[in-house]
Amino acid sequence: MVQVKEVVSKADFKAFVKFPFQLYKGNPYWVPPIIKDELEIFDRQRNPAFQSAQAQFFLALKNGKVVGRIAAIINHLEVNGQGLKKMRFGWFDFVDDLEVSKKLLGEVEAIGKANGLEYMEGPVGFSNLDKVGVLIEGFDHIGTMITWYNHPYYPKHYGEHGFVKEKEYLENKFKAAAADPKLFAKANMLIKKRFGLREINFTNSSEIMPWVDQMFDLFNESYAKLSSFVKITDVQKAYFKKKYISFINPEYIKFVVDSDDKLVAFAIVMPSFSKALQKANGRLFPFGIFHLLRAKKSSKDVIFYLIGIRPDFQNKGVTAVIFNEYYHTFKAKGIVNCIRTPELEENTAIRQMWKHFNPITHKRRRTYRKAL
């Protein structure tokens, strides 16, 4: 018999975080998180997402053993600010047992109904900077630190429980060598001259910090029209600035500004930490930190994490300026593969931006929806 318990104690949260380590043990494609960082996500005192959202966490047990987990989330900015009566759920992992997945989803459904919400959607996180989607294709490709991995049986469970496709996300990759400078070097000069733009490159994190708030403002502005978007708050900006910016190679952050030094576009690329995280196996110490630092310095794969372009400059070729800068950086560092984070299937503008790089769609993922 399957029992479900709410996660309350520190021991419960550790069990919640560690369950995937058991579920995906020995899987060559799963990328484990750092346990300490994952626990911080669920800490109401440390994660600023809880200032605008509420969440409950549940474990499923069978014969005293953890066999599943789920997070039930209500984002008040979304529900009250946007009028979307949506019950979110994420961090949804389970053994291949329909009773387990049904009971966990039942907890989310009950919370949604109790709060007068109209439908539930997942897997998603608190905001757009969290992981999203269940993998439906590409199970034989290694994951990234910013995506969830799952077993191939997961999509079947959604269908069995009455869920339907809500959104689809594509993950693409291309060879760095495909970024032929002939495609954008000339355009780079023309675009900068026409609009009075200039690029900004960085050599250390301290140079980036004064720009970060403006960057997140541009992020909010760039993605506001997408159906899944929830604005990043000022408190979240400060949190992400402190937690992540210093960990990103400064030369992998590119800005484009106008003649008044107002930010027009930005891009953030990260070295791939996937294999380093597999070696770390959830722990920074004693040796995990060294694997991560080595990857930061020498990984030949990079992940395009975020790109934002001010709406009045979209479709005007500004990406040529960004790609021209990355070409020189990647060539100097010997980068081989470029991997893109999940992008909404409906976001045709982003696909147009990459079309000259001969990208290959190697993964697909979805969120699923069910009426309450």
Side-chain angles (χ1 to χ4, degrees):
M1 181 179 177
V2 177
Q3 296 178 314
V4 176
K5 63 174 291 188
E6 185 170 358
V7 174
V8 178
S9 68
K10 287 185 178 180
D12 289 342
F13 274 108
K14 283 185 179 180
F16 187 93
V17 168
K18 289 184 176 181
F19 172 63
F21 286 79
Q22 164 197 325
L23 187 64
Y24 298 107
K25 186 177 181 179
N27 188 304
Y29 308 114
W30 178 64
V31 176
I34 296 299
I35 293 170
K36 178 178 177 292
D37 289 346
E38 195 80 344
L39 285 168
E40 185 175 315
I41 292 173
F42 310 128
D43 188 330
R44 289 171 172 82
Q45 304 304 315
R46 302 186 71 180
N47 186 349
F50 284 101
Q51 295 193 18
S52 54
Q54 66 186 70
Q56 291 174 256
F57 307 91
F58 300 92
L59 289 171
L61 297 98
K62 193 171 187 178
N63 300 322
K65 181 181 179 182
V66 177
V67 290
R69 67 171 190 172
I70 199 166
I73 303 164
I74 300 175
N75 186 310
H76 296 296
L77 293 175
E78 186 173 56
V79 174
N80 301 322
Q82 300 179 4
L84 292 176
K85 304 299 182 181
K86 178 167 79 178
M87 182 75 217
R88 292 174 164 239
F89 65 91
W91 289 274
F92 184 31
D93 287 292
F94 46 89
V95 298
D96 193 5
D97 183 328
L98 288 170
E99 183 186 3
V100 172
S101 54
K102 182 179 181 180
K103 286 202 170 184
L104 288 169
L105 289 167
E107 296 291 337
V108 179
E109 185 173 348
I111 294 170
K113 287 179 177 178
N115 283 273
L117 303 180
E118 297 174 355
Y119 68 99
M120 52 195 288
E121 181 188 350
V124 294
F126 292 93
S127 76
N128 297 77
L129 293 182
D130 288 319
K131 299 174 183 180
V132 65
V134 62
L135 197 64
I136 61 169
E137 293 179 14
F139 302 102
D140 56 347
H141 291 272
I142 192 169
T144 71
M145 67 181 293
I146 50 180
T147 55
W148 282 310
Y149 183 81
N150 56 265
H151 288 303
Y153 60 76
Y154 275 43
K156 175 190 72 176
H157 282 242
Y158 285 95
E160 289 287 340
H161 300 316
F163 283 79
V164 297
K165 170 187 170 182
E166 174 65 359
K167 301 180 184 74
E168 187 147 329
Y169 296 80
L170 309 180
E171 291 183 55
N172 293 273
K173 62 181 180 179
F174 59 89
K175 294 291 184 182
D180 187 342
K182 294 178 183 177
L183 296 173
F184 44 78
K186 185 177 180 180
N188 162 59
M189 299 303 295
L190 291 173
I191 295 300
K192 287 194 291 186
K193 184 176 180 180
R194 180 181 301 167
F195 298 112
L197 306 178
R198 68 181 179 90
E199 71 280 354
I200 299 180
N201 290 293
F202 302 98
T203 56
N204 62 71
S205 298
S206 63
E207 297 172 344
I208 303 168
M209 292 303 180
W211 294 89
V212 174
D213 286 346
Q214 194 178 160
M215 182 189 74
F216 279 120
D217 288 340
L218 180 53
F219 172 78
N220 283 336
E221 193 177 359
S222 300
Y223 290 87
K225 293 182 180 179
L226 291 180
S227 59
S228 63
F229 186 74
V230 179
K231 185 178 179 181
I232 306 301
T233 66
D234 289 342
V235 177
Q236 287 173 308
K237 291 177 195 174
Y239 175 78
F240 291 126
K241 181 194 300 187
K242 181 179 178 181
K243 187 172 178 64
Y244 296 113
I245 295 299
S246 62
F247 197 68
I248 300 172
N249 303 39
E251 63 269 36
Y252 284 169
I253 297 179
K254 309 294 184 184
F255 287 176
V256 180
V257 298
D258 62 18
S259 56
D260 295 320
D261 277 350
K262 298 296 183 183
L263 196 59
V264 166
F266 74 90
I268 297 177
V269 167
M270 298 191 301
S272 174
F273 292 103
S274 297
K275 293 182 179 179
L277 285 166
Q278 287 180 332
K279 292 175 182 177
N281 197 33
R283 301 189 183 280
L284 286 175
F285 302 102
F287 304 115
I289 188 67
F290 295 107
H291 295 306
L292 294 174
L293 290 173
R294 188 178 297 118
K296 180 180 180 181
K297 182 179 179 181
S298 59
S299 176
K300 300 306 178 186
D301 296 344
V302 294
I303 300 171
F304 276 82
Y305 182 45
L306 287 177
I307 290 183
I309 301 174
R310 212 167 74 193
D312 57 328
F313 275 92
Q314 291 175 3
N315 301 314
K316 291 184 177 179
V318 177
T319 52
V321 182
I322 292 173
F323 292 147
N324 186 68
E325 297 308 309
Y326 275 126
Y327 169 75
H328 296 294
T329 300
F330 292 168
K331 184 178 179 181
K333 288 187 167 289
I335 300 302
V336 177
N337 297 303
C338 298
I339 303 160
R340 283 153 48 198
T341 50
E343 296 161 350
L344 271 170
E345 185 180 40
E346 68 189 52
N347 192 349
T348 54
I350 199 76
R351 291 206 299 279
Q352 281 292 109
M353 187 175 76
W354 297 105
K355 64 181 181 180
H356 297 298
F357 296 83
N358 299 317
I360 297 171
T361 300
H362 64 298
K363 296 180 191 175
R364 289 178 180 266
R365 58 182 68 241
R366 285 179 185 164
T367 60
Y368 286 86
R369 171 182 177 139
K370 183 180 180 181
L372 294 174

